[in-house]
Amino acid sequence: MSDMKYMVKRGHTFYYKRKYPVFMQEVYGTFFTKSLKTRDINEARRLRDMMHTEFHREVEEAQDEGRDVPLVIRMAKQLHKLKGSAEDTPEGNAEAGLLDALERYVNKHEQTEAENIKQALMIAKAKKDSPSLRSLLAEYETWCADGLTNGAVRDRMKMVDIWADELGRDVPIHSCLSEDEAWSFVDRHIINSGVVHKTKQRRLNTLNLFFDWVQSKRIVNRNPFGNIKLEAIRGRRAEVKPEDTDRKAWSDTQLQTVLAEFSRISKEEKQQVSRENASRCHSITLIAIHTGMRRDEICSLQVEDCTDGAFKVREGKTASAVREVPIHSAIKPLIGSLIDSRDTGPLIKGLVPGGPDMRPSWNIGKVFGRVKKSLGFGKDYVFHGLRHTFITKMEQADVSGILIERIVGHKSHALAFNTYSKGQTIEAMREAVEKITYDLKGTDKL
C-alpha cells in the first residue's frame, strides 16, 4: 500500500493536508492544506517531509502568541497571511471563509469590542507583504543595541513602544501611516505631556528615527510624523519649566547635613554593605564639590588616573568631557587614603555595577538619593546639583567662564585657550580651583 499519510490528490496534483490542533481550528479552520505543486508521488513524498516543518512552525507561532489574544485579532492575522490566494484552492477557500466570518463577527461585536475590531480591520486590510509592528520593533531594537548603550536603547524605544502599544503590535506597518492619527498621538503624548520643549522634541525625534530606519529598508516610503513641527521656542526662558525640574546648588549647611549623615551611617549602621556604601558616598560627594566632576566620571576613575596633581577623565558624555581636572588641596589627603599605596585598580574600591548599562555609579546614585530623601531634601536636590554647587562657587570667586568650562568639561565657544600650552592651561585651572572653599564644620572627615 502506498504511503499517502498527510497527502491527498486533487485532479493530477498532490496536496499536503493535516489537521490543526483543536485550539487553532476556530481561527485557522480544521485542516492545514497546501499544494505540493507536483504530479510525481515520489517528489510529493519528499516535499511532504519538508512541509512538516512549516506546519509545526505555524503551530508553535500560534502557541507562542497565546490563546489570550482576542479571537478577532487572530482571525485577522490569519486572513492577512492568506491574502491574495487563488480562487478554488484550499487557501483561497479558507480566505473567503475567514473573510465572511470576520465580517459577521464585526457586525455582531462592533459595540462591545471596538478597539479589538479596529486593530483587526487594520490587520486584515493591509497588503500581504506588510510586516507587523511587533517584528519590526524587535529588529529595530536589535539594530539600535549594536551601537548604543542599554540606557540609550531604552530611551530610543520608550515613545515608539507607547505608540505601538496604542495601535496594536500585530498591526502591519502599512496600516500605521495616517498623519491624522500621528498628530493625535503627538498631541496627547508629547505636546500636552507637561515636559520642557527640549524633551518634547527629543521624544518626537525618536519616532522619526524609527521611521527613518523603516524607510531605509524600503518597507514604507513615507513617515507620518515627518511633517509634524513643534512650536518654536523663542529664547531659553520662553517656556516655563514644570515644577521640580531644576537642579539646585547645595549650600554649605546642606552639605554639612548630608556629609554628617553619611559619616554616621558608615559608623553605626548594622549591615556592612550599608556602612561601606555610605563611606563611598562621603568620598564621592567631597570629590564632586571640589572638582565639578559628574558621578559617572568619579566612579570610573582608576588609580593611574590620579597623577601629577590632577584627575584624568578619559571618557564622558561629550568630547569636551575628556580632560584633566586639578585635585584641590582640600581633598589631597582623601585621595591619598583612597589610593593607599596601590598602583592600579579603581580609585573608589568595591563599587558594584548596576542599571541597564551596568555602570559603577548606579548604586551610588541610589544610596545618595535614599539618604538625601530621608533628610527631607526634595526632588530638586540631586547629586548632579553638586556640580552646580562647584560652578556657583567658581563664579562667586570671579573665575572666568572659559576656565570654568574647561574644568567641568562643558563645550567652550571661545578660542582663548588655543594660545595656551597644556602646562599653562593646567596651572591656570589649578589656581582657579584653589579659589573655592567650603565651611563643612569637620563633616569632611569620617
Side-chain angles (χ1 to χ4, degrees), residues 51-150:
M51 197 62 67
H52 289 326
T53 303
E54 184 175 336
F55 173 81
H56 288 300
R57 183 172 62 247
E58 191 164 309
V59 172
E60 288 172 5
E61 287 177 357
Q63 289 173 332
D64 291 341
E65 185 179 78
R67 304 181 194 186
D68 293 334
V69 175
L71 173 61
V72 67
I73 300 293
R74 287 188 280 147
M75 292 169 65
K77 289 178 68 176
Q78 180 63 6
L79 182 60
H80 186 251
K81 286 183 181 179
L82 295 171
K83 201 164 192 175
S85 299
E87 293 182 5
D88 297 325
T89 64
E91 294 90 345
N93 293 336
E95 180 187 2
L98 265 176
L99 181 58
D100 181 61
L102 182 61
E103 288 176 350
R104 283 188 278 108
Y105 190 99
V106 168
N107 291 334
K108 184 177 181 180
H109 301 281
E110 60 182 343
Q111 299 298 325
T112 57
E113 296 187 35
E115 281 301 313
N116 289 338
I117 288 173
K118 179 182 176 182
Q119 288 185 30
L121 294 177
M122 291 175 76
I123 295 169
K125 292 178 180 179
K127 66 179 189 176
K128 182 176 176 60
D129 59 349
S130 180
S132 68
L133 291 181
R134 187 184 305 279
S135 61
L136 285 175
L137 288 176
E139 187 179 350
Y140 178 62
E141 187 169 1
T142 301
W143 179 79
C144 290
D146 189 43
L148 299 173
T149 64
N150 293 336

Side-chain angles (χ1 to χ4, degrees), residues 86-356:
E87 293 182 5
D88 297 325
T89 64
E91 294 90 345
N93 293 336
E95 180 187 2
L98 265 176
L99 181 58
D100 181 61
L102 182 61
E103 288 176 350
R104 283 188 278 108
Y105 190 99
V106 168
N107 291 334
K108 184 177 181 180
H109 301 281
E110 60 182 343
Q111 299 298 325
T112 57
E113 296 187 35
E115 281 301 313
N116 289 338
I117 288 173
K118 179 182 176 182
Q119 288 185 30
L121 294 177
M122 291 175 76
I123 295 169
K125 292 178 180 179
K127 66 179 189 176
K128 182 176 176 60
D129 59 349
S130 180
S132 68
L133 291 181
R134 187 184 305 279
S135 61
L136 285 175
L137 288 176
E139 187 179 350
Y140 178 62
E141 187 169 1
T142 301
W143 179 79
C144 290
D146 189 43
L148 299 173
T149 64
N150 293 336
V153 172
R154 182 183 59 196
D155 290 341
R156 181 77 65 90
M157 296 299 300
K158 185 175 181 179
M159 189 55 55
V160 180
D161 281 333
I162 294 172
W163 170 74
D165 287 337
E166 188 166 296
L167 283 175
R169 290 178 179 256
D170 292 317
V171 173
I173 186 70
H174 286 85
S175 293
C176 307
L177 303 179
S178 166
E179 291 190 4
D180 289 340
E181 290 193 2
W183 263 108
S184 175
F185 178 84
V186 170
D187 184 59
R188 284 180 283 107
H189 293 280
I190 296 179
I191 294 175
N192 293 309
S193 60
V195 297
V196 297
H197 179 77
K198 185 177 180 181
T199 302
K200 292 177 183 178
Q201 189 62 59
R202 186 169 64 247
R203 291 177 179 176
L204 177 59
N205 288 344
T206 61
L207 294 164
N208 282 311
L209 285 169
F210 169 69
F211 271 95
D212 286 346
W213 175 81
V214 175
Q215 286 180 296
S216 73
K217 296 176 71 66
R218 299 179 182 273
I219 296 173
V220 298
N221 57 14
R222 63 191 179 93
N223 172 8
F225 296 96
N227 293 324
I228 298 177
K229 307 295 181 188
L230 299 183
E231 184 180 352
I233 301 301
R234 296 182 179 179
R236 296 183 64 184
R237 300 292 180 185
E239 185 174 19
V240 178
K241 290 186 177 182
E243 292 182 6
D244 297 332
T245 57
D246 283 331
R247 294 163 175 172
K248 293 183 178 178
W250 296 73
S251 68
D252 287 9
T253 303
Q254 291 169 331
L255 289 173
Q256 291 170 23
T257 302
V258 172
L259 289 169
E261 182 64 6
F262 284 136
S263 180
R264 184 195 67 77
I265 295 173
S266 71
K267 297 171 184 174
E268 300 178 6
E269 184 62 41
K270 292 182 179 179
Q271 293 186 341
Q272 182 179 349
V273 66
S274 297
R275 295 197 302 271
E276 292 175 347
N277 279 333
S279 177
R280 295 183 190 107
C281 276
H282 188 274
S283 299
I284 292 168
T285 299
L286 286 171
I287 295 172
I289 64 175
H290 286 93
T291 63
M293 292 170 66
R294 301 174 178 93
R295 188 176 74 233
D296 278 349
E297 294 171 347
I298 299 171
C299 294
S300 298
L301 285 172
Q302 301 293 303
V303 169
E304 51 268 40
D305 296 330
C306 311
T307 57
D308 302 323
F311 295 119
K312 293 177 177 60
V313 182
R314 302 188 183 277
E315 59 180 24
K317 290 178 65 176
T318 64
S320 301
V322 179
R323 65 197 189 281
E324 291 188 17
V325 182
I327 299 176
H328 195 290
S329 58
I331 59 170
K332 282 185 177 179
L334 168 64
I335 303 306
S337 65
L338 291 173
I339 293 174
D340 192 25
S341 302
R342 293 180 294 141
D343 295 322
T344 60
L347 176 65
I348 311 294
K349 293 190 291 185
L351 292 175
V352 179

